[in-house]
Amino acid sequence: MIPYGRQEVTQADIDAVVQVLHSDFLTQGPIGPRFEDTVAQHVGARHAVAMNSATSALHIACLALGLGPGDWLWTSPITFVASANCGLYCGAQVDFVDIDPQTYNMSVERLEEKLAEAQKSGTLPKLIIPVHLCGQPCDMAGIHALSQRYGFRIIEDASHAIGGKYKGEPIGNGQYSDITVFSFHPVKIITTGEGGLATTNNAQLAERMTLLRSHGITRDPTRMTHVPHGGWYYQQIDLGFNYRMTEIQAALGLSQMARLDEYVARRHALARDYKIKLAALPVTTPWQHPDGYSGLHLYVIRLQLERTNRSHREVFDTLRENGIGVNVHYIPVHTQPYYERLGFKLGDFPESERYYAEAISLPMYSGLTGDQQDVVVSTLERALAI
Ligand SMILES: *Cc1c(COP(=O)(O)O)cnc(C)c1O
């Protein structure tokens, strides 16, 4: 099986992890902060807070920005469920903004319309989570301008986008948002096994996320309600969680960071080759906005169903039966049964639903060879054959 995504683990990664296993600290040691500093420096952010997943990072980022009951969070329907669930964890209500038909990211036009309506009904969102789908950056300048007008905060879900750039600057530098979240799940661009990280330029947000990641406990006397009882003393000053990243994970991530730019460049080379190899097939290859340099976590094609008499399902099944581990990213979140119970229904976000009916993620990862790519393309050609 040629999977749609796959981690690459080198001997250097293994050595780094083994070194941690022989060391004094398996968690809360010196490697975590080194990993955080390395990511912060790479993306041009002042602070980085590593956690055990991007889902945890999204949750804590929402809390740090004060999201709670009575508030609204808006995101894209075409994302992993975690981008929306984080709002529900905080007791907020969640709504969606339909996608742009070319980039598949949150449409700034739809966002502007929806904000104007929400203003009239007094239901403006407190927080918006744009998702850089497949690694392609959203129109952050447009979203940021609207945030100034309507007063919402922004968390970028950059789970797909580490190593990418927007208007020539690294994603995660916080120029257009309060917090940016990255994922290090093994299918993503670099991995820590499981893991996530939030970047911000705001020292208070970083401090708050650091507190909430570890039970809301502080050892900083200046933050305590009275003088410490002794050297053992700590205080719980808020209700937090155990969302810490281990040293084992951080060591893997730190070692992988050294190859990040190389990985993204390799993904771009594969995308260029796909575009050429797929040119004659009835599929739409991903459009890249000139403002962005995508992390290219995913390579999503859309079937031109009017040009083939195979269905989306038939093409998908034929690929899978022939050893191509394709996938579909994503099932529109508002059509999930849990969200249907909250009142959403099919038809609410037509552009997202159209996308879902045609999208297939082809294999895209740094270890994919040209020969494997040829097998993917020829299998797809057969699967589409009339
Ligand atoms: C993978 C992913 C997440 C969740 O990441 P985890 O690290 O697995 O928690 C969130 N949002 C998007 C868009 C993702 O792709």
Side-chain angles (χ1 to χ4, degrees), residues 4 35 39 43 49-58 79-80 82-83 131-132 156-163 171 180-199 245 249 253 256-257 260 267 297 330:
Y4 82 85
F35 177 53
V39 177
V43 307
V49 183
M51 282 174 250
N52 57 2
S53 73
T55 304
S56 302
L58 285 165
T79 184
F80 185 56
S83 323
V131 181
H132 304 312
E156 293 173 67
D157 185 341
S159 293
H160 299 183
I162 196 162
I171 293 170
T180 303
V181 168
F182 298 106
S183 171
F184 308 122
H185 182 279
V187 296
K188 309 290 162 82
I189 296 167
I190 61 160
T191 190
T192 58
E194 294 276 4
L197 180 143
T199 59
M245 176 181 275
Q249 292 167 302
Q256 295 242 321
M257 274 302 286
L260 173 59
R267 286 168 181 270
H297 160 51
Y330 290 93

Side-chain angles (χ1 to χ4, degrees), residues 273-321:
D273 293 346
Y274 262 138
K275 200 177 164 74
I276 295 162
K277 292 173 183 178
L278 294 169
L281 300 190
V283 301
T284 304
T285 53
W287 183 73
Q288 299 295 312
H289 193 289
D291 278 353
Y293 174 72
S294 176
L296 273 169
H297 160 51
L298 297 173
Y299 190 83
V300 173
I301 57 161
R302 286 177 73 164
L303 306 185
Q304 295 169 357
L305 292 169
E306 69 289 353
R307 291 179 60 201
T308 167
N309 50 26
R310 303 289 164 163
S311 70
H312 182 238
R313 172 85 180 262
E314 283 168 342
V315 173
F316 182 93
D317 287 347
T318 307
L319 284 161
R320 277 277 180 99
E321 283 156 17

Side-chain angles (χ1 to χ4, degrees), residues 153 248 252 261 342 378:
R153 312 297 291 269
I248 303 163
L252 180 55
D261 292 339
L342 298 177
S378 61

Side-chain angles (χ1 to χ4, degrees), residues 338-349:
Y338 190 86
Y339 281 83
E340 284 182 336
R341 288 206 290 280
L342 298 177
F344 295 100
K345 56 185 188 316
L346 204 64
D348 282 347
F349 303 99

Side-chain angles (χ1 to χ4, degrees), residues 25 93 97 109 112 122 145 152 157 271 273 329 347:
F25 297 99
Q93 282 175 279
V97 180
E109 282 153 51
E112 189 163 9
F152 57 83
D157 185 341
D273 293 346
H329 299 93

Side-chain angles (χ1 to χ4, degrees), residues 92-103:
Q93 282 175 279
V94 168
D95 202 353
F96 302 93
V97 180
D98 210 353
I99 61 168
D100 175 278
Q102 260 191 308
T103 62

